[in-house]
Amino acid sequence: MSVTIDITGLPPDRVSVVPSPLAELGMALHALSEPGHHPGLQGWATAVSSRLDPCLADRLYEAEFLWRTTFSDVFAPFAGIPGGHALPGATLAEELDQLDKLTDDQFVTAALEFTCQLRYDSQQPSPLEDPDLRRRSLELAAARGAVQERFTRRLLEDPPAVRAWFRELMLDCEEAFFADVWARVQPQLAADARHKTELLRRKGLAEALSSLSGAVSLDQEAALITVDKLLVGHTATGDGGLVLVPTSLGWPHVMVLHRYGWQPAITYPASGARPQTPSVEQLTRRLEALAHPVRMQLCRHLARSAHTTGELADAHGMSAPEISRHLAVLKKAGLITGCRRGRYVQHQLDLAAVARLGSDFIEGVLR
């Protein structure tokens, strides 16, 4: 499964790499509410949570569905501004001003995006105008709990008031903890943006995209960007542009904004903020390779020392061709390595790759 972006006719000067204070604040809020997703930030999350004003903590809890299990597009308002050429603001206040430029319908549908399972990448009626969709939105919100139902009802009844409430909440977060965070991560994000921009200029879009994450690739002939995700979606740049947004706090998440009518954007972990992780396809291949009992037994042998195909065949009472077929599966999955010694190739388990299977699985499903 994947999300694709059709970039037919997209000129190089309409690809921009720009940090976003509002998106990074959203990532910070996500890390505070889901510290298990970000082990490297657990110490910071514990410290911030322990000193939050109780009133601010209650307000964050009221709206945390906007950033906890998913990441609402209210944190990328630049993408919804008509024309498809706007970029993230340099400050949080500038981006909140961009949020004010969205219509009530844009704000409400972005806030209800995953909460109420509304359609994302195709044009749909507005819950502000369609009574059936409004009723369905409230029903789905109620299934998530009373707090979310109350917030959804407020949102549908008075979008400007909720938008003002959200703006004040973000500014209070900036004062409470995010100003310090942004001062620390902004230089890293700016440096990453400069590096990616130079990579775009010197080596082209394919090279720049592959540097974002192993989950992002470009088919130049088809003019199609593919992002490995656990969902299926599609969008196109059309007459607009493509925005790449680095994040210091977001690893392992790679997110694609592909909302209907909005400018496409990819939020990716900045260089230095992430290790290399396999694609979901490669992870699946590894798990399937280990599911076979013979290959599991081979791994037990190869974990202790290197062996040739003939040695493994003798140890398991199988023919060399049978063993070779199993070794080929393990090698394709990236679980074993081979080293030639004269006439023979000795195979050994890649312990580092196996040791990362658990964290690779978690990162793959969270991405």
Side-chain angles (χ1 to χ4, degrees), residues 57 85 100 119 136 183 200 229 234 241 261 265 283 299 307 343:
H85 297 288
D100 289 340
R119 292 297 301 273
R136 179 61 175 158
L200 275 166
K229 298 289 290 181
H234 180 74
L283 177 61
C299 287
H307 293 283
R343 295 169 50 200

Side-chain angles (χ1 to χ4, degrees), residues 20-27 71 74-77 91-92 95-96 99 166 170 178 182:
S20 164
L22 183 55
E24 198 70 353
L25 174 52
M27 290 295 185
F71 195 73
V74 297
F75 291 100
T91 66
L92 183 64
E95 292 201 277
L96 291 173
L99 187 66
F166 179 79
M170 295 300 101
F178 184 67
W182 185 245

Side-chain angles (χ1 to χ4, degrees), residues 120-141:
Y120 185 76
D121 55 3
S122 61
Q123 189 168 21
Q124 297 292 314
S126 167
L128 294 177
E129 300 173 357
D130 187 309
D132 291 336
L133 189 55
R134 181 188 183 93
R135 182 167 53 253
R136 179 61 175 158
S137 299
L138 289 169
E139 289 173 356
L140 290 168

Side-chain angles (χ1 to χ4, degrees), residues 38-108:
H38 306 273
L41 298 175
Q42 286 189 355
W44 169 82
T46 300
V48 171
S49 298
S50 66
R51 65 172 186 265
L52 273 184
D53 177 80
C55 181
L56 177 57
D58 287 343
R59 290 157 63 205
L60 289 174
Y61 175 70
E62 185 175 358
E64 71 172 1
F65 65 86
L66 294 174
W67 56 76
R68 182 166 191 163
T69 57
T70 56
F71 195 73
S72 171
D73 290 340
V74 297
F75 291 100
F78 69 91
I81 296 175
H85 297 288
L87 298 176
T91 66
L92 183 64
E94 287 179 23
E95 292 201 277
L96 291 173
D97 287 343
Q98 290 179 328
L99 187 66
D100 289 340
K101 294 179 181 178
L102 301 184
T103 65
D104 285 346
D105 179 63
Q106 285 180 302
F107 179 75
V108 169

Side-chain angles (χ1 to χ4, degrees), residues 187-236:
Q188 177 196 12
L189 298 181
D192 187 84
R194 287 193 298 270
H195 171 69
K196 297 296 190 297
T197 301
E198 183 65 13
L199 203 57
L200 275 166
R201 186 184 67 83
R202 294 178 58 197
K203 297 190 175 181
L205 183 57
E207 189 78 17
L209 290 174
S210 66
S211 74
L212 304 186
S213 166
V216 186
S217 61
L218 171 65
D219 183 335
Q220 290 181 310
E221 186 175 342
L224 199 68
I225 297 172
T226 299
V227 185
D228 180 32
K229 298 289 290 181
L230 293 176
L231 71 156
V232 176
H234 180 74
T235 188

